Amino acid sequence: MMKNLDESKLPGVPQWVCLQCGYNMIGEMPDVCPFCGAHHDRFMAWEQAEQTYRVTCHAVNDTVGQLLSVPKLGLEHAAYRVETDDGAVWIDSPSAYNRDLQPVKAILFTHHHFMGASNQYRRLWNADVRLHDLDAGHSLAASFDVDQRFTGDFSVYGIQAFHIGGHTPGFTLYIHRDMLFICDYVFPGDDGMHFNPYGPEQETRNRAQRIHEIVKHAPLKTVCGYNYVARFSDWLPSFERLVQQS
């Protein structure tokens, strides 16, 4: 059921969604998207986007759901809702704002590319937003509120966070129970797995060694990526082959 409109929970400044990549722009509309370079005729005001796109939760298991927009919004990265013993948490944020979604206590980011409409959800729910300090200082994150700029590894809500770097300086993966949240560090495909090409190539390859050290002996069953869910037993051999090629 749609909640009653609460003007105090709406953005105080204009906000635009890029229909090509899903990046949210806060404030005066720019000529081009600062993330993907799309022209402003590919932007949609957040109010219209809320009416056009429905953020839908698809169950991965009993405690994790994959959040996707229907219809697909641009490149459409997935975010994940995790039900922990201490409350619900998101890992990354959907690009579309739907005020009738179930609230979460915190939004933890893998990196600054997928902040989506997190500023609006933070305001609606008073959610605790956390992003690595090295990514929080990037211009793409400058307009978004970040409550905690973390450094290094940490654990919160029963979720383990491991700073990796590589794809972005602050890239962080998360593990909850037997679930690995790797976002877009690597892309599986019919011709094998590939590193994300958008970022420093050699550093991305080098830092993959740390990912391997973290996950190789962990009791993991499922991998949650930016647009896929895979069995860890299938994912790990492909990842190891990729790392060995580095």
Side-chain angles (χ1 to χ4, degrees):
M1 179 180 296
M2 182 73 77
K3 296 178 182 178
N4 292 331
L5 181 63
D6 182 350
E7 296 292 343
S8 69
K9 298 299 186 181
L10 301 180
V13 296
Q15 186 153 327
W16 314 89
V17 184
C18 176
L19 301 182
Q20 182 163 300
C21 70
Y23 180 70
N24 276 237
M25 293 152 279
I26 304 169
E28 184 178 351
M29 183 174 66
D31 288 334
V32 298
C33 173
F35 188 89
C36 72
H39 192 261
H40 62 74
D41 61 6
R42 294 286 294 149
F43 301 169
M44 180 181 285
W46 73 268
E47 301 97 329
Q48 185 179 356
E50 182 179 15
Q51 298 304 316
T52 304
Y53 299 96
R54 305 312 303 163
V55 178
T56 306
C57 189
H58 305 267
V60 177
N61 60 22
D62 291 342
T63 60
V64 174
Q66 186 186 55
L67 300 167
L68 293 170
S69 296
V70 179
K72 179 180 176 181
L73 203 174
L75 298 177
E76 187 57 30
H77 69 270
Y80 291 89
R81 180 185 175 93
V82 184
E83 306 291 345
T84 79
D85 292 338
D86 299 314
V89 174
W90 276 359
I91 295 177
D92 295 325
S93 173
S95 293
Y97 175 61
N98 290 172
R99 77 194 74 198
D100 56 345
L101 292 178
Q102 291 298 306
V104 296
K105 285 190 171 183
I107 306 174
L108 311 178
F109 283 102
T110 56
H111 59 313
H112 64 283
H113 292 170
F114 293 154
M115 298 193 76
S118 61
N119 62 305
Q120 293 169 300
Y121 291 112
R122 174 185 178 273
R123 185 173 180 182
L124 179 65
W125 300 327
N126 196 30
D128 176 31
V129 173
R130 302 191 185 200
L131 175 68
H132 195 282
D133 184 66
L134 293 175
D135 280 0
H138 194 280
S139 60
L140 288 175
S143 298
F144 292 83
D145 292 314
V146 176
D147 299 295
Q148 297 199 45
R149 296 186 174 200
F150 59 83
T151 58
D153 304 339
F154 66 95
S155 180
V156 66
Y157 297 100
I159 298 173
Q160 296 173 282
F162 298 92
H163 174 229
I164 303 301
H167 170 50
T168 69
F171 190 94
T172 301
L173 67 78
Y174 297 93
I175 293 177
H176 179 251
R177 298 179 181 174
D178 58 4
M179 309 283 291
L180 169 65
F181 299 89
I182 193 67
C183 196
D184 63 350
Y185 204 96
V186 291
F187 300 129
D190 294 337
D191 58 345
M193 189 175 286
H194 304 275
F195 287 114
N196 191 321
Y198 299 102
E201 179 180 359
Q202 194 56 52
E203 184 67 7
T204 299
R205 292 178 176 274
N206 291 344
R207 297 304 295 169
Q209 298 287 346
R210 180 163 200 249
I211 298 176
H212 187 236
E213 288 299 315
I214 291 167
V215 306
K216 66 180 179 180
H217 297 307
L220 298 169
K221 293 182 179 179
T222 307
V223 180
C224 295
Y226 90 104
N227 67 350
Y228 67 91
V229 175
R231 291 188 302 181
F232 181 72
S233 59
D234 296 332
W235 184 91
L236 182 60
S238 295
F239 182 72
E240 289 179 329
R241 286 193 291 272
L242 182 63
V243 171
Q244 290 167 3
Q245 297 169 6
S246 302

